[in-house]
Amino acid sequence: SFWPKRTRDRTSSPRPLASTAGSVMVKSTSLTKNELVDVLHRSKTSKERNRAVKLLKQFDPIPKYECDDEGQKSKMQPKKYDYLLGFMCWRCDKVKQSNYKVIWNTSKGAKPICHGCYTQLVEREEVAHMRSANQKAGIIPKGFGLGLTGVGDNIAR
């Protein structure tokens, strides 16, 4: 097990054990985010996974939107599982527990993303397609900057 067993003798206070070789501290989160992600990937039981998820939620996410222009439905494979998965979404950098996981083939390799990010990217692609079709049909004007033309949509968030 990745988590140490808590033992208490009559003279010591009920504190979590310090990290020993091959095990991890439980209560005090002296672990780095990368170490917790590694524990999450290697966890065998739901108890281990839930502890890692709870500790990972304490970290502030650092989203990565630099590959959003590669966000095409054809490059993503959503998959539904019969069981609950615990993983880190590469795009929004949040820990997720879900039955859905999407593998996104980017220029930086295959990245796991959550269903929410997948939906955002697919909707963005559909809106861009509808926008260009409506501009060709003359329904919406080109270049007025009202959020309808697509000008300025690629500004970094």
Side-chain angles (χ1 to χ4, degrees):
S1 171
F2 296 104
W3 306 101
K5 301 282 187 239
R6 293 203 295 174
T7 59
R8 186 183 351 163
D9 60 2
R10 294 174 200 261
T11 59
S12 67
S13 62
R15 293 180 293 150
L17 293 174
S19 183
T20 57
S23 67
V24 179
M25 285 185 68
V26 179
K27 295 289 181 189
S28 64
T29 171
S30 62
L31 297 173
T32 65
K33 188 173 184 177
N34 288 337
E35 289 171 335
L36 284 170
V37 169
D38 190 41
V39 169
L40 180 65
H41 287 304
R42 292 187 294 151
S43 64
K44 298 281 189 241
T45 66
S46 61
K47 185 175 181 180
E48 290 172 346
R49 182 182 65 235
N50 291 341
R51 281 185 179 169
V53 166
K54 186 174 183 179
L55 291 173
L56 277 167
K57 284 184 178 181
Q58 296 174 357
F59 289 91
D60 291 327
I62 304 167
K64 301 177 194 87
Y65 297 126
E66 65 262 17
C67 292
D68 278 9
D69 51 343
E70 300 177 36
Q72 299 158 358
K73 194 172 183 176
S74 60
K75 292 184 177 182
M76 298 182 228
Q77 294 99 30
K79 185 166 182 186
K80 183 175 181 185
Y81 294 86
D82 293 336
Y83 50 91
L84 196 63
L85 295 170
F87 65 96
M88 288 293 293
C89 175
W90 181 82
R91 183 173 176 263
C92 64
D93 196 41
K94 293 180 183 174
V95 65
K96 300 290 181 174
Q97 280 189 303
S98 174
N99 291 353
Y100 288 96
K101 185 175 180 180
V102 180
I103 301 299
W104 181 19
N105 295 313
T106 66
S107 58
K108 297 182 178 187
K111 305 292 181 186
I113 62 172
C114 62
H115 195 263
C117 286
Y118 167 74
T119 305
Q120 282 182 357
L121 290 169
V122 168
E123 284 178 1
R124 184 177 170 170
E125 180 185 12
E126 290 170 357
V127 166
H129 184 271
M130 286 173 35
R131 179 187 307 119
S132 64
N134 287 340
Q135 285 174 345
K136 285 179 186 174
I139 297 172
I140 55 176
K142 295 181 184 178
F144 278 92
L146 301 171
L148 304 171
T149 60
V151 177
D153 283 354
N154 291 336
I155 296 172
R157 297 179 200 195

